[in-house]
């Protein structure tokens, strides 16, 4: 009887886990409101012909989940990826960010780190220059990312806020695509995190806009939300073609603005 009891109990637990996982991995939130909220009645083609997602199946830390978006086409005047929208279905604020690209970027790959508050589909919707929308998705197992404590002392984090670093690949040929990394020091507070010193919930304060120009021409810009991890970090490509000045301009949700310049 005891053996039977545990067999039944194990079966019930297993069934609950399956139901729980299926609930999180379903497209119900996307189909019921997210798709129409962000894209209205527009047709979205679900395939991986334009962009794919690389992500861990199970992330070690829900507050820092690495995501890589891989373009499947080259950026050209004939056809290029114009806008990429990143949606995390089960986050409190599902719209993680909208990222804009141009035809002279070489390729529209993008690497970043995000927060996941619960097991969720992470989907990327790429809009090409011909107006078509293509979607790819991955199911990622991670949780607690939006409410996880600030990784460092909050007061110290605010003192460093706005500092930025560029890292660029060393190709000598200016006509080649260069990999550019921009690291932004900012706590990106979600409004759901408890300050470990005061035991109070810190009000939301996060990076809202990022704009990067080269010789006064925009090469990358984005609108982001609380789903982007603390200290936002973006890696992408651009083709400089000639020597010039790289400028990053960042604005946060409190209206504070920060600038970083690099001469190439």
């Amino acid at each position: 009887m005891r053996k039977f009891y545990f067999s039944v109990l194990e079966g019930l637990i297993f069934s609950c886990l399956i139901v729980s996982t299926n609930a999180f991995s379903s497209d119900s939130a996307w189909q019921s409101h997210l798709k129409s909220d962000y894209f209205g009645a527009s047709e979205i083609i679900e395939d991986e012909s334009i962009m794919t997602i690389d992500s861990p199946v199970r992330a070690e830390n829900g507050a820092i989940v690495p995501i890589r978006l891989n373009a499947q086409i080259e950026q050209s005047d004939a056809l290029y990826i114009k806008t990429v929208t990143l949606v995390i279905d089960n986050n409190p604020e599902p719209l993680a960010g909208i990222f804009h690209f141009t035809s002279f970027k070489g390729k529209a790959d993008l690497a970043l780190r995000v927060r996941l508050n619960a097991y969720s589909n992470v989907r990327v919707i790429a809009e090409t220059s011909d107006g078509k929308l293509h979607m790819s998705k991955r199911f990622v197992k991670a949780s607690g990312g939006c409410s996880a404590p600030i990784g460092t002392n909050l007061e110290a984090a605010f003192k460093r806020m706005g500092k930025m670093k560029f890292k660029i690949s060393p190709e000598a040929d200016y006509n080649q695509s260069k990999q550019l990394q921009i690291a932004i020091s900012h706590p990106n507070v979600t409004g759901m995190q408890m300050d470990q010193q005061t035991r109070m919930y810190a009000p939301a304060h996060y990076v809202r806009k990022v704009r990067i120009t080269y010789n006064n021409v925009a090469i990358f810009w984005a609108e982001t939300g609380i789903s982007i991890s603390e200290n936002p970090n973006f890696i992408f490509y651009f083709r400089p073609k000639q020597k010039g000045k790289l400028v990053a301009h960042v604005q946060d949700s409190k209206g504070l603005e920060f600038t970083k310049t690099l001469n190439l």
Side-chain angles (χ1 to χ4, degrees):
M1 175 65 71
R2 188 175 180 181
K3 183 178 180 181
F4 174 75
Y5 171 78
F6 281 112
S7 296
V8 172
L9 182 60
E10 288 170 0
L12 288 172
I13 292 173
F14 182 69
S15 297
C16 288
L17 287 172
I18 291 175
V19 171
S20 176
T21 300
N22 287 342
F24 282 120
S25 62
S26 75
D27 277 340
S28 58
W30 174 255
Q31 296 295 347
S32 66
H33 63 280
L34 294 180
K35 179 179 180 295
S36 58
D37 286 351
Y38 301 140
F39 298 96
S42 299
E43 179 186 3
I44 298 179
I45 304 164
E46 187 168 349
D47 65 5
E48 296 191 339
S49 66
I50 299 297
M51 183 161 277
T52 62
I53 304 178
D54 283 341
S55 67
V57 174
R58 183 185 295 275
E60 294 182 6
N61 186 344
I64 310 172
V65 181
I67 299 289
R68 186 171 185 90
L69 309 179
N70 304 300
Q72 301 301 299
I73 61 171
E74 290 290 324
Q75 299 287 87
S76 69
D77 290 336
L79 183 68
Y80 64 93
I81 296 172
K82 184 169 67 171
T83 303
V84 168
T85 303
L86 187 63
V87 177
I88 304 172
D89 288 10
N90 295 323
N91 267 11
E93 185 181 88
L95 183 60
I98 302 174
F99 306 92
H100 306 272
F101 302 91
T102 62
S103 60
F104 55 83
K105 277 187 80 287
K107 50 185 174 179
D109 291 10
L110 176 66
L112 69 162
R113 301 175 303 192
V114 300
R115 295 173 166 128
L116 263 75
N117 212 48
Y119 288 16
S120 180
N121 278 316
V122 177
R123 59 186 81 233
V124 57
I125 301 90
E127 180 183 2
T128 47
S129 54
D130 59 3
K132 293 181 179 179
L133 299 171
H134 294 259
M135 180 176 72
S136 178
K137 66 182 180 183
R138 289 291 180 271
F139 181 65
V140 181
K141 296 178 181 179
S143 60
C146 295
S147 56
I150 301 296
T152 55
N153 177 280
L154 189 57
E155 184 179 352
F158 278 126
K159 286 181 180 179
R160 293 193 308 273
M161 186 170 64
K163 293 184 178 179
M164 288 182 269
K165 290 182 180 179
F166 283 121
K167 185 177 180 180
I168 190 164
S169 57
E171 291 89 350
D173 187 352
Y174 282 88
N175 288 310
Q176 286 185 309
S177 291
K178 290 179 175 288
Q179 180 177 281
L180 175 64
Q181 179 178 5
I182 175 73
I184 306 164
S185 182
H186 199 292
N188 250 32
V189 182
T190 66
M192 300 170 60
Q193 299 154 301
M194 182 180 289
D195 187 310
Q196 297 303 294
Q197 291 187 330
T198 65
R199 309 303 293 173
M200 301 288 287
Y201 285 97
H205 188 179
Y206 55 92
V207 170
R208 177 171 282 171
K209 294 180 180 180
V210 179
R211 183 178 179 85
I212 299 177
T213 62
Y214 188 66
N215 289 339
N216 298 317
V217 177
I219 59 171
F220 173 83
W221 63 103
E223 298 86 42
T224 58
I226 64 170
S227 292
I228 302 299
S229 297
E230 177 183 1
N231 298 324
N233 194 306
F234 304 105
I235 301 174
F236 60 94
Y237 290 84
F238 84 111
R239 187 182 295 129
K241 295 186 178 180
Q242 59 184 354
K243 292 183 178 181
K245 181 185 291 186
L246 196 62
V247 179
H249 183 80
V250 173
Q251 183 184 74
D252 70 17
S253 59
K254 299 290 187 181
L256 299 177
E257 298 186 3
F258 315 98
T259 302
K260 175 72 173 179
T261 301
L262 177 67
N263 291 314
L264 296 183

